[in-house]
Amino acid sequence: MKLFYIMITIVTLFISGCMETPEVTSSKKDIVQKQIESNKSEAQKAKEEYSKLQKQRKLE
């Protein structure tokens, strides 16, 4: 009887563990979103600086 209970418990835990998908916490989402926005703004600044340098090269 104990063996049956242990087996049912193991199977139940295994099935419930496989069916649940972990969710990202909102704080991690916020951190990632801020990092993405920061990277985008830095990329835009670099693009603008590159354009200015290209214009200067054409004038020289």
Short mmCIF file of all heavy atoms in Angstrom, two decimals:
data_model
loop_
_atom_site.label_atom_id
_atom_site.label_comp_id
_atom_site.label_asym_id
_atom_site.label_seq_id
_atom_site.Cartn_x
_atom_site.Cartn_y
_atom_site.Cartn_z
N MET A 1 0.81 -1.18 0.00
CA MET A 1 0.00 0.00 0.00
C MET A 1 0.86 1.26 0.00
O MET A 1 0.56 2.22 -0.69
CB MET A 1 -0.93 -0.05 1.22
CG MET A 1 -1.92 1.05 1.27
SD MET A 1 -3.10 0.80 -0.07
CE MET A 1 -4.17 2.14 0.17
N LYS A 2 1.93 1.23 0.81
CA LYS A 2 2.83 2.38 0.84
C LYS A 2 3.51 2.58 -0.50
O LYS A 2 3.68 3.72 -0.94
CB LYS A 2 3.89 2.21 1.93
CG LYS A 2 3.37 2.34 3.33
CD LYS A 2 4.49 2.20 4.32
CE LYS A 2 3.99 2.31 5.73
NZ LYS A 2 5.06 2.19 6.72
N LEU A 3 3.89 1.49 -1.14
CA LEU A 3 4.54 1.58 -2.44
C LEU A 3 3.60 2.19 -3.48
O LEU A 3 4.00 3.03 -4.28
CB LEU A 3 5.00 0.19 -2.89
CG LEU A 3 5.74 0.13 -4.23
CD1 LEU A 3 6.99 0.99 -4.17
CD2 LEU A 3 6.09 -1.30 -4.57
N PHE A 4 2.34 1.79 -3.42
CA PHE A 4 1.34 2.35 -4.34
C PHE A 4 1.19 3.85 -4.12
O PHE A 4 1.16 4.63 -5.07
CB PHE A 4 -0.01 1.64 -4.13
CG PHE A 4 -1.10 2.19 -5.00
CD1 PHE A 4 -1.12 1.91 -6.37
CD2 PHE A 4 -2.10 2.98 -4.47
CE1 PHE A 4 -2.12 2.42 -7.18
CE2 PHE A 4 -3.10 3.49 -5.26
CZ PHE A 4 -3.12 3.21 -6.63
N TYR A 5 1.14 4.29 -2.88
CA TYR A 5 1.01 5.71 -2.55
C TYR A 5 2.24 6.49 -3.05
O TYR A 5 2.10 7.56 -3.62
CB TYR A 5 0.83 5.89 -1.04
CG TYR A 5 0.80 7.33 -0.61
CD1 TYR A 5 -0.31 8.13 -0.86
CD2 TYR A 5 1.89 7.91 0.03
CE1 TYR A 5 -0.35 9.46 -0.48
CE2 TYR A 5 1.87 9.24 0.41
CZ TYR A 5 0.74 10.01 0.16
OH TYR A 5 0.73 11.32 0.53
N ILE A 6 3.41 5.94 -2.83
CA ILE A 6 4.64 6.60 -3.27
C ILE A 6 4.67 6.71 -4.80
O ILE A 6 5.04 7.76 -5.35
CB ILE A 6 5.88 5.84 -2.74
CG1 ILE A 6 5.97 6.01 -1.22
CG2 ILE A 6 7.15 6.34 -3.40
CD1 ILE A 6 7.03 5.14 -0.57
N MET A 7 4.29 5.65 -5.49
CA MET A 7 4.29 5.67 -6.95
C MET A 7 3.29 6.70 -7.49
O MET A 7 3.60 7.45 -8.41
CB MET A 7 3.97 4.28 -7.51
CG MET A 7 5.12 3.29 -7.34
SD MET A 7 4.72 1.63 -7.91
CE MET A 7 4.26 1.89 -9.58
N ILE A 8 2.09 6.75 -6.90
CA ILE A 8 1.08 7.73 -7.33
C ILE A 8 1.60 9.15 -7.09
O ILE A 8 1.43 10.04 -7.93
CB ILE A 8 -0.26 7.49 -6.60
CG1 ILE A 8 -0.87 6.16 -7.01
CG2 ILE A 8 -1.24 8.63 -6.85
CD1 ILE A 8 -1.24 6.09 -8.48
N THR A 9 2.24 9.37 -5.96
CA THR A 9 2.78 10.68 -5.63
C THR A 9 3.86 11.09 -6.62
O THR A 9 3.86 12.23 -7.11
CB THR A 9 3.35 10.68 -4.20
OG1 THR A 9 2.34 10.26 -3.29
CG2 THR A 9 3.86 12.06 -3.81
N ILE A 10 4.76 10.18 -6.94
CA ILE A 10 5.84 10.48 -7.89
C ILE A 10 5.28 10.79 -9.27
O ILE A 10 5.68 11.77 -9.90
CB ILE A 10 6.84 9.31 -7.94
CG1 ILE A 10 7.62 9.23 -6.63
CG2 ILE A 10 7.79 9.47 -9.13
CD1 ILE A 10 8.50 8.01 -6.50
N VAL A 11 4.33 9.99 -9.72
CA VAL A 11 3.72 10.22 -11.03
C VAL A 11 2.99 11.56 -11.05
O VAL A 11 3.10 12.33 -12.00
CB VAL A 11 2.77 9.06 -11.41
CG1 VAL A 11 1.95 9.40 -12.63
CG2 VAL A 11 3.57 7.79 -11.63
N THR A 12 2.26 11.88 -10.00
CA THR A 12 1.53 13.14 -9.92
C THR A 12 2.50 14.33 -9.94
O THR A 12 2.27 15.31 -10.65
CB THR A 12 0.68 13.19 -8.64
OG1 THR A 12 -0.19 12.06 -8.62
CG2 THR A 12 -0.13 14.46 -8.57
N LEU A 13 3.56 14.24 -9.18
CA LEU A 13 4.55 15.33 -9.16
C LEU A 13 5.23 15.48 -10.52
O LEU A 13 5.47 16.59 -10.99
CB LEU A 13 5.60 15.07 -8.07
CG LEU A 13 5.11 15.21 -6.63
CD1 LEU A 13 6.22 14.78 -5.66
CD2 LEU A 13 4.69 16.63 -6.34
N PHE A 14 5.52 14.37 -11.15
CA PHE A 14 6.16 14.41 -12.46
C PHE A 14 5.24 15.07 -13.49
O PHE A 14 5.66 15.94 -14.25
CB PHE A 14 6.54 13.00 -12.92
CG PHE A 14 7.18 12.96 -14.26
CD1 PHE A 14 8.49 13.37 -14.43
CD2 PHE A 14 6.47 12.54 -15.38
CE1 PHE A 14 9.10 13.34 -15.67
CE2 PHE A 14 7.05 12.50 -16.62
CZ PHE A 14 8.38 12.90 -16.78
N ILE A 15 3.99 14.67 -13.51
CA ILE A 15 3.04 15.23 -14.47
C ILE A 15 2.81 16.72 -14.20
O ILE A 15 2.81 17.53 -15.12
CB ILE A 15 1.71 14.45 -14.45
CG1 ILE A 15 1.94 13.05 -15.03
CG2 ILE A 15 0.62 15.18 -15.22
CD1 ILE A 15 0.75 12.13 -14.91
N SER A 16 2.63 17.09 -12.96
CA SER A 16 2.38 18.50 -12.65
C SER A 16 3.63 19.34 -12.94
O SER A 16 3.52 20.49 -13.36
CB SER A 16 1.96 18.67 -11.20
OG SER A 16 3.01 18.33 -10.33
N GLY A 17 4.79 18.79 -12.74
CA GLY A 17 6.03 19.51 -13.04
C GLY A 17 6.23 19.72 -14.53
O GLY A 17 6.77 20.74 -14.96
N CYS A 18 5.80 18.78 -15.33
CA CYS A 18 5.96 18.91 -16.78
C CYS A 18 4.93 19.83 -17.40
O CYS A 18 5.15 20.38 -18.47
CB CYS A 18 5.84 17.53 -17.44
SG CYS A 18 7.21 16.44 -17.05
N MET A 19 3.80 19.99 -16.76
CA MET A 19 2.72 20.77 -17.36
C MET A 19 2.84 22.25 -17.06
O MET A 19 2.33 23.08 -17.80
CB MET A 19 1.37 20.25 -16.89
CG MET A 19 1.09 18.83 -17.39
SD MET A 19 -0.48 18.20 -16.86
CE MET A 19 -1.57 19.10 -17.94
N GLU A 20 3.49 22.62 -16.02
CA GLU A 20 3.61 24.03 -15.65
C GLU A 20 4.79 24.65 -16.38
O GLU A 20 5.89 24.11 -16.41
CB GLU A 20 3.81 24.19 -14.15
CG GLU A 20 2.61 23.74 -13.34
CD GLU A 20 2.84 23.86 -11.84
OE1 GLU A 20 3.83 24.47 -11.43
OE2 GLU A 20 2.02 23.30 -11.10
N THR A 21 4.55 25.80 -16.99
CA THR A 21 5.63 26.52 -17.64
C THR A 21 6.05 27.67 -16.75
O THR A 21 5.20 28.40 -16.22
CB THR A 21 5.19 27.07 -19.01
OG1 THR A 21 4.06 27.90 -18.82
CG2 THR A 21 4.86 25.95 -19.97
N PRO A 22 7.33 27.84 -16.55
CA PRO A 22 7.78 28.93 -15.69
C PRO A 22 7.50 30.28 -16.35
O PRO A 22 7.61 30.43 -17.56
CB PRO A 22 9.28 28.68 -15.55
CG PRO A 22 9.64 27.86 -16.73
CD PRO A 22 8.43 27.07 -17.09
N GLU A 23 7.12 31.24 -15.55
CA GLU A 23 6.85 32.57 -16.05
C GLU A 23 7.93 33.52 -15.57
O GLU A 23 8.41 33.41 -14.44
CB GLU A 23 5.48 33.05 -15.57
CG GLU A 23 4.34 32.26 -16.15
CD GLU A 23 3.00 32.85 -15.78
OE1 GLU A 23 2.95 34.03 -15.40
OE2 GLU A 23 2.01 32.11 -15.85
N VAL A 24 8.29 34.44 -16.43
CA VAL A 24 9.29 35.44 -16.07
C VAL A 24 8.61 36.46 -15.16
O VAL A 24 7.52 36.93 -15.45
CB VAL A 24 9.84 36.12 -17.33
CG1 VAL A 24 10.87 37.19 -16.96
CG2 VAL A 24 10.44 35.10 -18.26
N THR A 25 9.28 36.79 -14.07
CA THR A 25 8.70 37.76 -13.16
C THR A 25 8.66 39.13 -13.81
O THR A 25 9.45 39.44 -14.69
CB THR A 25 9.50 37.83 -11.85
OG1 THR A 25 10.83 38.21 -12.15
CG2 THR A 25 9.49 36.49 -11.14
N SER A 26 7.75 39.96 -13.37
CA SER A 26 7.59 41.27 -13.97
C SER A 26 8.83 42.13 -13.77
O SER A 26 9.16 42.96 -14.61
CB SER A 26 6.35 41.97 -13.41
OG SER A 26 6.49 42.17 -12.02
N SER A 27 9.54 41.96 -12.65
CA SER A 27 10.74 42.77 -12.42
C SER A 27 11.82 42.41 -13.44
O SER A 27 12.53 43.30 -13.93
CB SER A 27 11.26 42.56 -11.00
OG SER A 27 11.63 41.21 -10.80
N LYS A 28 11.94 41.15 -13.80
CA LYS A 28 12.92 40.76 -14.82
C LYS A 28 12.51 41.31 -16.17
O LYS A 28 13.35 41.75 -16.95
CB LYS A 28 13.06 39.25 -14.88
CG LYS A 28 13.79 38.66 -13.71
CD LYS A 28 14.00 37.17 -13.86
CE LYS A 28 14.73 36.60 -12.66
NZ LYS A 28 14.94 35.16 -12.79
N LYS A 29 11.20 41.28 -16.45
CA LYS A 29 10.71 41.85 -17.71
C LYS A 29 11.04 43.34 -17.78
O LYS A 29 11.46 43.84 -18.82
CB LYS A 29 9.21 41.65 -17.85
CG LYS A 29 8.79 40.26 -18.18
CD LYS A 29 7.28 40.19 -18.33
CE LYS A 29 6.81 38.78 -18.61
NZ LYS A 29 5.35 38.70 -18.70
N ASP A 30 10.84 44.04 -16.68
CA ASP A 30 11.13 45.47 -16.64
C ASP A 30 12.61 45.74 -16.87
O ASP A 30 12.97 46.64 -17.62
CB ASP A 30 10.70 46.08 -15.31
CG ASP A 30 9.19 46.07 -15.12
OD1 ASP A 30 8.46 45.96 -16.13
OD2 ASP A 30 8.75 46.18 -13.95
N ILE A 31 13.46 44.95 -16.24
CA ILE A 31 14.91 45.13 -16.39
C ILE A 31 15.32 44.89 -17.84
O ILE A 31 16.08 45.67 -18.42
CB ILE A 31 15.67 44.19 -15.44
CG1 ILE A 31 15.46 44.62 -13.99
CG2 ILE A 31 17.15 44.15 -15.78
CD1 ILE A 31 15.97 43.62 -12.97
N VAL A 32 14.79 43.84 -18.43
CA VAL A 32 15.13 43.51 -19.82
C VAL A 32 14.62 44.60 -20.75
O VAL A 32 15.32 45.02 -21.68
CB VAL A 32 14.56 42.13 -20.21
CG1 VAL A 32 14.65 41.89 -21.69
CG2 VAL A 32 15.27 41.03 -19.44
N GLN A 33 13.41 45.09 -20.51
CA GLN A 33 12.83 46.13 -21.36
C GLN A 33 13.66 47.41 -21.27
O GLN A 33 13.92 48.07 -22.29
CB GLN A 33 11.38 46.40 -20.97
CG GLN A 33 10.64 47.28 -21.94
CD GLN A 33 10.51 46.66 -23.31
OE1 GLN A 33 10.38 45.45 -23.45
NE2 GLN A 33 10.56 47.48 -24.32
N LYS A 34 14.10 47.77 -20.08
CA LYS A 34 14.94 48.96 -19.91
C LYS A 34 16.27 48.79 -20.64
O LYS A 34 16.77 49.73 -21.26
CB LYS A 34 15.19 49.25 -18.43
CG LYS A 34 13.98 49.78 -17.71
CD LYS A 34 14.26 50.00 -16.24
CE LYS A 34 13.01 50.41 -15.50
NZ LYS A 34 13.23 50.56 -14.06
N GLN A 35 16.84 47.61 -20.58
CA GLN A 35 18.10 47.34 -21.27
C GLN A 35 17.93 47.44 -22.77
O GLN A 35 18.79 47.98 -23.46
CB GLN A 35 18.64 45.96 -20.88
CG GLN A 35 20.01 45.66 -21.43
CD GLN A 35 21.07 46.58 -20.87
OE1 GLN A 35 21.09 46.85 -19.67
NE2 GLN A 35 21.94 47.06 -21.71
N ILE A 36 16.82 46.92 -23.29
CA ILE A 36 16.55 47.00 -24.73
C ILE A 36 16.42 48.46 -25.16
O ILE A 36 17.00 48.88 -26.17
CB ILE A 36 15.28 46.20 -25.08
CG1 ILE A 36 15.55 44.70 -24.93
CG2 ILE A 36 14.80 46.52 -26.49
CD1 ILE A 36 14.32 43.84 -25.04
N GLU A 37 15.68 49.25 -24.39
CA GLU A 37 15.52 50.67 -24.72
C GLU A 37 16.85 51.40 -24.66
O GLU A 37 17.14 52.25 -25.50
CB GLU A 37 14.50 51.32 -23.77
CG GLU A 37 13.09 50.81 -23.95
CD GLU A 37 12.55 51.05 -25.34
OE1 GLU A 37 12.84 52.10 -25.94
OE2 GLU A 37 11.82 50.17 -25.84
N SER A 38 17.66 51.06 -23.67
CA SER A 38 18.98 51.68 -23.56
C SER A 38 19.84 51.33 -24.76
O SER A 38 20.53 52.20 -25.32
CB SER A 38 19.66 51.20 -22.27
OG SER A 38 20.98 51.68 -22.21
N ASN A 39 19.81 50.09 -25.17
CA ASN A 39 20.59 49.66 -26.34
C ASN A 39 20.12 50.37 -27.60
O ASN A 39 20.94 50.76 -28.45
CB ASN A 39 20.51 48.15 -26.52
CG ASN A 39 21.27 47.39 -25.46
OD1 ASN A 39 22.07 47.95 -24.72
ND2 ASN A 39 21.00 46.11 -25.36
N LYS A 40 18.81 50.53 -27.74
CA LYS A 40 18.28 51.21 -28.91
C LYS A 40 18.73 52.67 -28.94
O LYS A 40 19.11 53.18 -30.01
CB LYS A 40 16.75 51.15 -28.93
CG LYS A 40 16.19 49.81 -29.32
CD LYS A 40 14.67 49.85 -29.34
CE LYS A 40 14.07 48.52 -29.71
NZ LYS A 40 12.59 48.56 -29.70
N SER A 41 18.68 53.35 -27.80
CA SER A 41 19.08 54.75 -27.77
C SER A 41 20.59 54.90 -28.03
O SER A 41 21.01 55.82 -28.73
CB SER A 41 18.69 55.41 -26.45
OG SER A 41 19.37 54.82 -25.37
N GLU A 42 21.37 53.99 -27.49
CA GLU A 42 22.82 54.03 -27.75
C GLU A 42 23.11 53.77 -29.22
O GLU A 42 24.00 54.40 -29.81
CB GLU A 42 23.54 53.01 -26.88
CG GLU A 42 23.61 53.41 -25.42
CD GLU A 42 24.30 52.35 -24.57
OE1 GLU A 42 25.00 51.48 -25.12
OE2 GLU A 42 24.14 52.41 -23.34
N ALA A 43 22.37 52.86 -29.83
CA ALA A 43 22.56 52.56 -31.25
C ALA A 43 22.18 53.78 -32.09
O ALA A 43 22.86 54.10 -33.07
CB ALA A 43 21.73 51.36 -31.66
N GLN A 44 21.12 54.47 -31.71
CA GLN A 44 20.71 55.67 -32.44
C GLN A 44 21.76 56.77 -32.32
O GLN A 44 22.08 57.44 -33.31
CB GLN A 44 19.35 56.17 -31.91
CG GLN A 44 18.79 57.34 -32.68
CD GLN A 44 18.50 57.00 -34.12
OE1 GLN A 44 18.12 55.89 -34.44
NE2 GLN A 44 18.68 57.97 -35.00
N LYS A 45 22.32 56.95 -31.13
CA LYS A 45 23.38 57.94 -30.94
C LYS A 45 24.60 57.60 -31.79
O LYS A 45 25.21 58.47 -32.41
CB LYS A 45 23.78 58.03 -29.47
CG LYS A 45 22.74 58.68 -28.60
CD LYS A 45 23.19 58.67 -27.14
CE LYS A 45 22.11 59.16 -26.22
NZ LYS A 45 22.51 59.07 -24.80
N ALA A 46 24.97 56.33 -31.81
CA ALA A 46 26.12 55.91 -32.60
C ALA A 46 25.86 56.12 -34.09
O ALA A 46 26.76 56.55 -34.83
CB ALA A 46 26.43 54.44 -32.33
N LYS A 47 24.66 55.86 -34.53
CA LYS A 47 24.30 56.06 -35.94
C LYS A 47 24.39 57.54 -36.31
O LYS A 47 24.91 57.89 -37.38
CB LYS A 47 22.89 55.54 -36.18
CG LYS A 47 22.44 55.56 -37.61
CD LYS A 47 21.05 54.95 -37.75
CE LYS A 47 20.57 55.01 -39.18
NZ LYS A 47 19.22 54.44 -39.32
N GLU A 48 23.88 58.40 -35.44
CA GLU A 48 23.95 59.84 -35.69
C GLU A 48 25.40 60.33 -35.73
O GLU A 48 25.77 61.13 -36.58
CB GLU A 48 23.16 60.60 -34.63
CG GLU A 48 21.66 60.38 -34.73
CD GLU A 48 20.90 60.93 -33.54
OE1 GLU A 48 21.53 61.49 -32.61
OE2 GLU A 48 19.66 60.79 -33.54
N GLU A 49 26.21 59.84 -34.80
CA GLU A 49 27.61 60.23 -34.76
C GLU A 49 28.33 59.75 -36.02
O GLU A 49 29.14 60.49 -36.61
CB GLU A 49 28.28 59.64 -33.52
CG GLU A 49 29.72 60.09 -33.34
CD GLU A 49 30.33 59.54 -32.07
OE1 GLU A 49 29.59 59.17 -31.15
OE2 GLU A 49 31.58 59.49 -32.02
N TYR A 50 28.02 58.56 -36.46
CA TYR A 50 28.62 58.01 -37.68
C TYR A 50 28.24 58.86 -38.89
O TYR A 50 29.07 59.17 -39.74
CB TYR A 50 28.18 56.56 -37.88
CG TYR A 50 28.75 55.91 -39.11
CD1 TYR A 50 30.07 55.49 -39.15
CD2 TYR A 50 27.96 55.72 -40.24
CE1 TYR A 50 30.60 54.90 -40.29
CE2 TYR A 50 28.46 55.13 -41.38
CZ TYR A 50 29.79 54.72 -41.40
OH TYR A 50 30.30 54.14 -42.52
N SER A 51 26.98 59.27 -38.95
CA SER A 51 26.52 60.12 -40.06
C SER A 51 27.26 61.45 -40.07
O SER A 51 27.65 61.96 -41.12
CB SER A 51 25.02 60.37 -39.96
OG SER A 51 24.31 59.17 -40.10
N LYS A 52 27.45 62.04 -38.89
CA LYS A 52 28.19 63.31 -38.80
C LYS A 52 29.61 63.13 -39.28
O LYS A 52 30.15 63.98 -40.02
CB LYS A 52 28.18 63.82 -37.35
CG LYS A 52 26.85 64.35 -36.90
CD LYS A 52 26.93 64.80 -35.44
CE LYS A 52 25.58 65.18 -34.91
NZ LYS A 52 25.64 65.54 -33.48
N LEU A 53 30.25 62.05 -38.88
CA LEU A 53 31.62 61.79 -39.32
C LEU A 53 31.69 61.58 -40.83
O LEU A 53 32.62 62.05 -41.48
CB LEU A 53 32.21 60.60 -38.57
CG LEU A 53 32.48 60.81 -37.09
CD1 LEU A 53 32.88 59.47 -36.45
CD2 LEU A 53 33.56 61.83 -36.89
N GLN A 54 30.72 60.90 -41.39
CA GLN A 54 30.70 60.68 -42.84
C GLN A 54 30.53 62.00 -43.58
O GLN A 54 31.17 62.22 -44.60
CB GLN A 54 29.54 59.73 -43.22
CG GLN A 54 29.77 58.30 -42.80
CD GLN A 54 30.90 57.63 -43.56
OE1 GLN A 54 32.07 57.99 -43.42
NE2 GLN A 54 30.55 56.65 -44.36
N LYS A 55 29.69 62.89 -43.06
CA LYS A 55 29.52 64.21 -43.68
C LYS A 55 30.82 65.01 -43.62
O LYS A 55 31.18 65.71 -44.57
CB LYS A 55 28.39 64.98 -43.00
CG LYS A 55 27.02 64.43 -43.34
CD LYS A 55 25.93 65.20 -42.62
CE LYS A 55 24.57 64.58 -42.90
NZ LYS A 55 23.50 65.27 -42.15
N GLN A 56 31.51 64.93 -42.48
CA GLN A 56 32.79 65.64 -42.33
C GLN A 56 33.82 65.11 -43.32
O GLN A 56 34.57 65.87 -43.91
CB GLN A 56 33.32 65.52 -40.91
CG GLN A 56 32.59 66.34 -39.90
CD GLN A 56 33.14 66.14 -38.50
OE1 GLN A 56 34.01 65.29 -38.27
NE2 GLN A 56 32.62 66.91 -37.55
N ARG A 57 33.84 63.84 -43.54
CA ARG A 57 34.79 63.23 -44.48
C ARG A 57 34.50 63.68 -45.91
O ARG A 57 35.42 63.88 -46.70
CB ARG A 57 34.75 61.71 -44.39
CG ARG A 57 35.32 61.18 -43.09
CD ARG A 57 35.27 59.69 -43.06
NE ARG A 57 36.45 59.14 -43.72
CZ ARG A 57 36.62 57.87 -44.00
NH1 ARG A 57 35.68 57.00 -43.69
NH2 ARG A 57 37.71 57.46 -44.58
N LYS A 58 33.24 63.83 -46.24
CA LYS A 58 32.88 64.27 -47.58
C LYS A 58 33.27 65.73 -47.81
O LYS A 58 33.64 66.11 -48.92
CB LYS A 58 31.36 64.10 -47.81
CG LYS A 58 30.94 62.67 -47.97
CD LYS A 58 29.46 62.55 -48.22
CE LYS A 58 29.07 61.09 -48.35
NZ LYS A 58 27.61 60.93 -48.58
N LEU A 59 33.22 66.54 -46.76
CA LEU A 59 33.58 67.95 -46.88
C LEU A 59 35.09 68.13 -47.01
O LEU A 59 35.55 69.12 -47.58
CB LEU A 59 33.05 68.75 -45.69
CG LEU A 59 31.52 68.85 -45.58
CD1 LEU A 59 31.15 69.56 -44.29
CD2 LEU A 59 30.95 69.59 -46.78
N GLU A 60 35.86 67.23 -46.51
CA GLU A 60 37.33 67.36 -46.54
C GLU A 60 37.93 66.95 -47.84
O GLU A 60 37.55 66.46 -48.75
CB GLU A 60 37.95 66.53 -45.41
CG GLU A 60 37.64 67.06 -44.06
CD GLU A 60 38.19 66.17 -42.96
OE1 GLU A 60 38.79 65.10 -43.25
OE2 GLU A 60 38.04 66.52 -41.80
#
